[in-house]
Amino acid sequence: FTNIEREPHTTKVSKALERMEFALQSVSNVWRSVLAVPVYVEMISSVLEFCLSTFIGHVVALDVISVSASESLGEWFEQIANWPANCWIDTTGRDANRTVSRLALKAQLLAKMMNARMVEILAMWEDGTLPGADFAAWEVRSLITAVFESSENRMECLSRIL
């Protein structure tokens, strides 16, 4: 994952995401009819949370994200944001449903940030959108550092994300 620029790496990441999605759907198909709704919801929420947090961890650990890599990452996060719909049941009002909704929102916001301008990311931080989706300041700072070149604007932006 460290050299996302090279075509073999982007292909590997795409295939890994496809396998993860297939595995989630398979688990969902097997366990949805077997487990009680609250147990199923908690189990699938845990699996989704692990997958998303692992992927986010790898992305924020990148030192540099180019424009082309940023576009690929945006597409992958959009794909991940759709995972809950593919393995989910309607459990309106349940806590675990909120957990999965929060995870999907985080993936959607990451997709948006991958193609956003720095001022747009800063605005999402300052209006509470990113903190409200459980983004830590260090995650947002790491993404900004990786995506945008070093400049006075970037330094100012980073100083405002606390």
Side-chain angles (χ1 to χ4, degrees):
F1 209 94
T2 57
N3 191 354
I4 201 168
E5 295 300 310
R6 296 178 51 211
E7 184 61 33
H9 293 288
T10 58
T11 303
K12 287 179 185 177
V13 173
S14 291
K15 287 183 180 183
L17 288 173
E18 287 173 12
R19 282 184 286 222
M20 287 171 60
E21 183 175 15
F22 178 77
L24 280 169
Q25 288 173 341
S26 297
V27 166
S28 175
N29 291 339
V30 170
W31 291 108
R32 184 181 318 172
S33 61
V34 176
L35 296 174
V37 171
V39 175
Y40 168 75
V41 169
E42 187 62 37
M43 183 267 311
I44 206 72
S45 295
S46 297
V47 172
L48 286 167
E49 187 166 21
F50 173 77
C51 292
L52 183 57
S53 63
T54 300
F55 195 69
I56 290 170
H58 285 296
V59 171
V60 298
L62 295 172
D63 292 328
V64 175
I65 301 173
S66 71
V67 172
S68 63
S70 181
E71 290 171 358
S72 295
L73 287 166
E75 291 170 12
W76 293 330
F77 280 118
E78 286 175 9
Q79 178 183 348
I80 290 170
N82 292 323
W83 285 359
N86 295 334
C87 61
W88 200 243
I89 54 176
D90 182 24
T91 56
T92 306
R94 298 189 187 278
D95 289 339
N97 188 29
R98 283 184 231 128
T99 299
V100 173
S101 296
R102 180 184 47 79
L103 294 171
L105 174 62
K106 193 167 187 176
Q108 289 169 348
L109 289 171
L110 276 163
K112 186 175 181 178
M113 285 193 296
M114 288 296 117
N115 298 307
R117 296 185 339 241
M118 191 170 14
V119 295
E120 294 169 330
I121 296 171
L122 181 60
M124 286 191 289
W125 178 262
E126 290 178 337
D127 73 10
T129 302
L130 297 178
D134 292 336
F135 277 97
W138 71 268
E139 290 174 315
V140 178
R141 291 172 57 89
S142 294
L143 285 172
I144 289 173
T145 301
V147 172
F148 298 100
E149 292 182 13
S150 182
S151 68
E152 287 184 32
N153 288 339
R154 185 179 85 174
M155 289 174 41
E156 180 186 336
C157 180
L158 293 174
S159 70
R160 292 170 60 181
I161 298 173
L162 304 173

